[in-house]
Amino acid sequence: MQKSLLVIALILLASTTWSVKAQQVSQYEKREFIHENDTLLYRILYPHNYDENKQYPVVLFLHGAGERGSDNERQLNLGGDLFLNEKLRKKYPAIVIFPQCPVDTMWTARTKNRDAQQNWVFNFPVSKVAPRPAEMVNLLVEEYMETPSVDKNRIYIMGISMGGIGTLEFLHRWPEKYAAAAVICGGHDCRIADNYKHLPIWFFHGEADDVVPHHYSYEVYKTVHKGNRRTRYTSYPNTNHNSWDKALAEPKLLKWMFKNQKEN
């Protein structure tokens, strides 16, 4: 009897927890951005007491490969809670956008294979046009930049894993848009960092990452940091690919990001 009551209590607790989380996530409005024959799914969170006569910074968040889909929900699994934190939401009012990438593509055309030692070797072809989801996100950002309530000098970009790689490629392709960036377990080719070496970037990476080797972050960091002391690198010893758990819990992350403004 006691075991049955315990099971029922646990089920009720899980159900209540799921319901509360669902209600919180529902604060992100479901939207679709349509351009020509393409549709981009995204979620958007507005500040409390949003006033269209005021100007707000924008945060663009690029999810990882595991959050791809067509449900317009999974992209909030990692990072969505950060901007629902009431204390942070009041302190840093912002418009937050989470686009969703379809399952059959990525934010970049990155390819990978293993070397003789079975280490991952990445290739970042950027001479071609960006994948369509990336182009659609860029067009979406441009549309919001025309909104009077958006502060064009305070548009930020963040990304996890596939989205961290995407963040750096977005900076390479469209460096004039962003004021700062946060790259979590991502990385890119350090040889093409010239376009965005003036931008402050905070890198986070686990030293034991066996999905995206940490040197792809660190080499870009070294390239950018040479002439830009506002750029940071935080490494997590003995941490594998899920460095987002620690990165998103960094108490100074949003404070650092929101203090940056685009240089005119």
Side-chain angles (χ1 to χ4, degrees), residues 50-69:
Y50 171 71
D51 184 347
E52 61 182 14
N53 295 311
K54 294 182 179 180
Q55 286 199 322
Y56 301 92
V58 171
V59 180
L60 173 66
F61 198 107
L62 301 181
H63 64 75
E67 290 69 55
R68 290 177 293 182

Side-chain angles (χ1 to χ4, degrees), residues 52-246:
E52 61 182 14
N53 295 311
K54 294 182 179 180
Q55 286 199 322
Y56 301 92
V58 171
V59 180
L60 173 66
F61 198 107
L62 301 181
H63 64 75
E67 290 69 55
R68 290 177 293 182
S70 58
D71 61 357
N72 207 2
E73 292 181 7
R74 291 176 64 87
Q75 72 266 40
L76 296 174
N77 286 352
L78 301 176
D81 288 350
L82 175 64
F83 300 98
L84 292 174
N85 179 296
E86 287 300 323
K87 182 178 179 181
L88 295 175
R89 199 171 175 189
K90 290 177 181 178
K91 191 171 184 179
Y92 306 110
I95 299 169
V96 185
I97 300 173
F98 275 73
Q100 186 175 37
C101 185
V103 294
D104 58 348
T105 186
M106 298 188 294
W107 301 123
T108 71
R110 187 270 301 149
T111 61
K112 65 179 181 180
N113 53 67
R114 292 191 184 273
D115 62 15
Q117 289 73 43
Q118 295 301 302
N119 298 313
W120 283 118
V121 177
F122 288 4
N123 180 46
F124 305 97
V126 294
S127 58
K128 301 177 182 179
V129 296
R132 190 56 177 163
E135 289 188 323
M136 290 289 285
V137 172
N138 185 55
L139 291 170
L140 176 66
V141 172
E142 289 182 348
E143 182 172 280
Y144 274 100
M145 288 177 70
E146 297 305 314
T147 303
S149 59
V150 167
D151 184 347
K152 296 180 182 179
N153 292 319
R154 300 181 69 208
I155 297 178
Y156 309 103
I157 182 169
M158 303 175 65
I160 292 176
S161 189
M162 179 186 83
I165 294 170
T167 292
L168 291 172
E169 189 154 315
F170 275 42
L171 296 183
H172 168 72
R173 293 183 183 276
W174 306 292
E176 74 285 352
K177 284 186 171 65
Y178 301 100
V183 176
I184 302 169
C185 58
H188 213 285
D189 186 343
C190 65
R191 295 172 297 180
I192 59 171
D194 283 350
N195 277 12
Y196 57 86
K197 64 184 180 182
H198 61 288
L199 293 172
I201 307 171
W202 193 346
F203 295 86
F204 305 89
H205 220 125
E207 293 181 10
D209 195 326
D210 60 6
V211 177
V212 180
H214 69 90
H215 68 83
Y216 284 109
S217 279
Y218 191 62
E219 294 302 322
V220 177
Y221 160 74
K222 289 195 299 182
T223 300
V224 175
H225 188 66
K226 289 177 183 178
N228 185 347
R229 297 297 174 176
R230 295 178 297 166
T231 285
R232 299 181 175 187
Y233 190 92
T234 298
S235 61
Y236 301 112
N238 305 314
T239 298
N240 205 311
H241 192 53
N242 64 329
S243 54
W244 53 77
D245 291 332
K246 296 177 180 179

